[in-house]
Amino acid sequence: RSGGGNENALAESQACAEDFSLIQVSHPLANIIYDELVSPRGHHVILTGHAGDGKTTIALEILKRLRGLPSDAPLSSPMLDREECNGVTIIKDLSERNRQQDHELIKELKGRSRRFLLVSNTGTLLDLVKSQHANIRKSQVELEDAVLNAIDSQDGQGELALADDLHFLVFNLAQLDNLDIAQSIFAKMLAKERWQCCGSCVNAE
């Protein structure tokens, strides 16, 4: 069900796969981020972490909630690079953005007419903010220190204030203990009812 076309190939395939619900486990962080995005006093959110940590899958779960869909319901089409729904914009991979539009993106973030969820690895996030240092009115060194401090929190959650009108909550999946979620997924994978049809397979032995 997946290909190797890009680093998000698996998560993008899962978005439309009906059988993904058989092993899908809701991530508690999705509830926290969703509440922040829809709160009148909420902040923009940055979701970061290593490749394969589940960033895109969490973003997908939040998009479904914004659309009023169950977390295990498949989408009719894959997520777009930029999804907009109910006053929230999700950019599912900041590395795929059009860099010529970075100035406009910062302007949108400052305007706060919408809440943004930015999904990004550390390098791409640093590239964005440092390239816009003149627009943000801070030095590249100041911006780099602010980003690195925000993602280095031991509990995986930090605050990032790039300017008076540019605040984020930052969640770093690389700092979170996801063992319970992995065990729940594994238990669903091994459930007996998933394997009953294998008994009649010619390669059963």
Side-chain angles (χ1 to χ4, degrees):
R1 291 269 179 153
S2 66
N6 62 66
E7 64 180 6
N8 293 319
L10 179 58
E12 290 174 353
S13 172
Q14 291 170 348
C16 303
E18 293 185 2
D19 53 1
F20 177 55
S21 63
L22 299 177
I23 62 169
Q24 193 262 347
V25 173
S26 181
H27 199 297
L29 188 55
N31 293 330
I32 297 172
I33 294 175
Y34 173 84
D35 290 343
E36 184 68 25
L37 292 171
V38 301
S39 170
R41 297 186 178 183
H43 295 86
H44 302 307
V45 174
I46 294 171
L47 181 59
T48 188
H50 301 313
D53 275 345
K55 300 185 297 294
T56 306
T57 302
I58 291 175
L60 172 62
E61 185 173 346
I62 293 168
L63 176 61
K64 289 178 181 179
R65 288 198 60 178
L66 289 168
R67 291 183 178 179
L69 297 173
S71 63
D72 59 355
L75 297 182
S76 58
S77 59
M79 286 182 69
L80 301 175
D81 292 341
R82 176 173 172 145
E83 291 279 359
E84 300 192 8
C85 185
N86 294 332
V88 175
T89 296
I90 298 176
I91 297 182
K92 72 175 179 65
D93 187 348
L94 205 57
S95 68
E96 297 176 0
R97 76 192 189 282
N98 181 349
R99 287 167 174 76
Q100 301 300 317
Q101 298 176 356
D102 281 356
H103 180 86
E104 184 62 29
L105 175 58
I106 296 297
K107 183 178 178 180
E108 285 187 278
L109 290 165
K110 284 186 172 184
R112 292 185 57 82
S113 62
R114 306 179 61 81
R115 294 283 188 278
F116 276 76
L117 169 59
L118 306 180
V119 181
S120 176
N121 61 41
T122 304
T124 301
L125 180 60
L126 286 171
D127 175 62
L128 169 64
V129 299
K130 290 171 68 176
S131 71
Q132 294 300 305
H133 69 95
N135 189 12
I136 300 173
R137 299 181 181 178
K138 284 188 177 180
S139 71
Q140 292 189 358
V141 172
E142 287 178 301
L143 293 173
E144 182 171 343
D145 285 346
V147 170
L148 293 179
N149 286 334
I151 67 174
D152 198 36
S153 174
Q154 291 298 312
D155 62 1
Q157 178 177 337
E159 295 185 11
L160 175 60
L162 297 178
D164 291 341
D165 52 359
L166 195 53
H167 290 255
F168 301 87
L169 280 187
V170 180
F171 296 93
N172 185 359
L173 287 176
Q175 298 283 71
L176 298 177
D177 181 0
N178 289 316
L179 184 58
D180 288 345
I181 294 174
Q183 289 175 326
S184 297
I185 294 172
F186 198 49
K188 285 192 170 187
M189 292 172 65
L190 296 179
K192 287 185 178 180
E193 59 269 24
R194 307 281 184 263
W195 300 89
Q196 289 176 348
C197 61
C198 296
S200 58
C201 176
V202 296
N203 297 310
E205 292 185 5

